[in-house]
Amino acid sequence: MRMSRGVEWVLHCCALLAELPPGESLSAAQLARFFDVPHAYLAKKLQALSTVGVLRTSSGPSGGYQLGRDANEIALLSIIDAVEGVGRCFICTELRQQGPSAVSTHRYTTPCGIARSMWRAEDAWRSVLSKTTLKDIVRIGNVEVPAEQRRRAQIWLRSEKG
Amino acid sequence: MRMSRGVEWVLHCCALLAELPPGESLSAAQLARFFDVPHAYLAKKLQALSTVGVLRTSSGPSGGYQLGRDANEIALLSIIDAVEGVGRCFICTELRQQGPSAVSTHRYTTPCGIARSMWRAEDAWRSVLSKTTLKDIVRIGNVEVPAEQRRRAQIWLRSEKG
DNA sequence: GAATGGGTACTCGGATATAACTTGTCCGAGTCTCTTAGG
DNA sequence: CCTAAGAGACTCGGACAAGTTATATCCGAGTACCCATTC
């Protein structure tokens, strides 16, 4: 169970977009250059985010991506669900209904106990991610990211806009 | 992020082994027949469990798998880690150290804030799974599994031993 | 000088190849059991 | 009748293919901007 690499990319992209002045946007190509990742594949992932409204797109020159709503309204879970799909990690194929001991289907009212246990763990995971927002990420960054890096990022953004 | 199908298989296998009379064992082939899954592939997964001590193997005729320790000492997390690998789901490639804003490596003391947020969610997931044991699964089964199915399973076990 | 029309260049979005991993299969080494021969 | 040796068959364990998903890429549709032309 490894998470897609694209998840890391879009999380960083969203964090960067969250620090952008209101109204400004960055194109997929610019984001790809900033993080040094293949831009076409990154665009495919960002596209998924715009579909669900986490990001908002604008076409044409000086277009690009910006946050679809306030940073404190965007939970990490929304981003991950958009990129990875909303399905559960653990899939129950009703194994208990196969083999020599199975009885008729309608006898199984509650979901499989194993599946419920696994899903309870997933719920805990999703709960944490739903409570963590982009705003939290930015707040952490404001404290921990080296000032030098923040300054360089600002310079880079200026040069892109120039 | 989808979990391997083999996880479901081995969880059901462990649950079945947990209800076996002490000292008895079931071979991979028998378990595969019981759940109607490819036995060679199942054996590959069970093998991983015996490596870490969750299961104990015995060779030769009337050999097979049995629990390596008491059912209440086997957490679901142990099983999943053995089958899926112990690595984290979210992998941080230190994206912040790439691109035009990166500064020298030694300036990054704490792990990336995004990674820490993701790992906090994983920890919640692992916490639930580490607190759920095979004994809990058996307990749930004793209440919820139809009596008819339990009876059939007993009959099947007898016929296999015969 | 202002407005308008068109061209251009940039954007996103979806369809298309490649790589990695999960899934599935096979065969070989080892071991317990059963049989059988001998004492 | 008991013991022991050997053959046999069953077990697990690791090496070997096929299908599916993630990764990476390309090209087309659409849009805003810029410039030239016209009024």
Side-chain angles (χ1 to χ4, degrees):
Chain A
M1 192 175 70
R2 218 185 73 251
M3 188 167 287
S4 168
R5 178 182 288 244
V7 172
E8 185 190 8
W9 299 356
V10 298
L11 285 175
H12 277 273
C13 286
C14 287
L16 183 59
L17 291 174
E19 299 202 72
L20 230 52
E24 289 194 12
S25 58
L26 286 173
S27 71
Q30 288 173 321
L31 288 168
R33 274 201 303 274
F34 189 88
F35 292 113
D36 196 20
V37 296
H39 88 281
Y41 184 50
L42 175 63
K44 189 183 185 65
K45 300 300 182 185
L46 295 174
Q47 184 176 325
L49 290 175
S50 70
T51 301
V52 299
V54 168
L55 295 184
R56 173 167 288 279
T57 67
S58 48
S59 294
S62 77
Y65 292 95
Q66 51 186 300
L67 293 189
R69 51 183 187 268
D70 268 5
N72 57 356
E73 294 288 332
I74 299 178
L76 298 193
L77 184 60
S78 310
I79 300 173
I80 294 166
D81 276 346
V83 174
E84 290 277 292
V86 291
R88 290 201 174 268
C89 302
F90 181 83
I91 298 175
C92 178
T93 62
E94 287 292 334
L95 214 57
R96 59 181 176 173
Q97 294 189 29
Q98 288 183 349
S101 73
V103 297
S104 55
T105 302
H106 72 278
R107 301 283 291 277
Y108 301 99
T109 54
T110 58
C112 168
I114 290 176
R116 288 216 314 280
S117 299
M118 295 296 291
W119 291 340
R120 181 159 44 234
E122 280 185 39
D123 289 342
W125 179 75
R126 297 175 71 87
S127 173
V128 172
L129 289 178
S130 68
K131 287 172 186 157
T132 309
T133 69
L134 275 184
K135 189 76 176 180
D136 298 322
I137 299 296
V138 171
R139 195 175 300 127
I140 294 174
N142 285 339
V143 176
E144 298 186 354
V145 171
E148 173 69 12
Q149 177 167 21
R150 297 180 61 79
R151 201 172 62 83
R152 288 197 190 182
Q154 289 298 327
I155 294 173
W156 182 83
L157 288 173
R158 288 289 160 78
S159 70
E160 286 293 325
K161 292 301 163 186
Chain B
M1 194 176 69
R2 217 186 72 253
M3 188 167 287
S4 167
R5 177 183 289 245
V7 171
E8 184 189 9
W9 298 356
V10 299
L11 285 175
H12 278 273
C13 287
C14 288
L16 182 60
L17 290 174
E19 299 201 72
L20 230 53
E24 290 193 11
S25 58
L26 287 173
S27 71
Q30 288 173 320
L31 289 169
R33 275 200 303 274
F34 189 89
F35 292 112
D36 196 20
V37 296
H39 87 282
Y41 184 49
L42 176 64
K44 190 184 185 66
K45 301 299 182 185
L46 294 174
Q47 184 175 322
L49 289 175
S50 70
T51 302
V52 299
V54 169
L55 295 184
R56 173 166 289 278
T57 68
S58 48
S59 294
S62 77
Y65 292 94
Q66 52 185 301
L67 293 190
R69 51 182 187 268
D70 268 5
N72 58 356
E73 294 288 332
I74 298 179
L76 298 192
L77 184 60
S78 310
I79 300 172
I80 294 165
D81 275 347
V83 175
E84 290 277 291
V86 291
R88 289 199 174 270
C89 302
F90 181 84
I91 298 176
C92 177
T93 62
E94 287 292 333
L95 215 56
R96 59 181 177 172
Q97 294 189 29
Q98 288 183 349
S101 73
V103 297
S104 56
T105 302
H106 72 277
R107 300 283 292 276
Y108 301 98
T109 54
T110 59
C112 168
I114 290 175
R116 287 217 314 281
S117 298
M118 296 296 291
W119 291 341
R120 182 161 42 236
E122 281 185 39
D123 289 341
W125 178 75
R126 295 174 72 87
S127 173
V128 172
L129 290 178
S130 68
K131 288 171 186 158
T132 309
T133 68
L134 275 183
K135 188 79 176 178
D136 298 323
I137 299 296
V138 171
R139 196 175 301 125
I140 294 173
N142 284 339
V143 176
E144 298 187 354
V145 170
E148 173 68 13
Q149 177 167 20
R150 297 178 61 79
R151 202 173 60 83
R152 288 198 191 181
Q154 289 298 327
I155 294 174
W156 182 84
L157 288 173
R158 288 289 160 77
S159 70
E160 286 292 325
K161 291 301 163 188

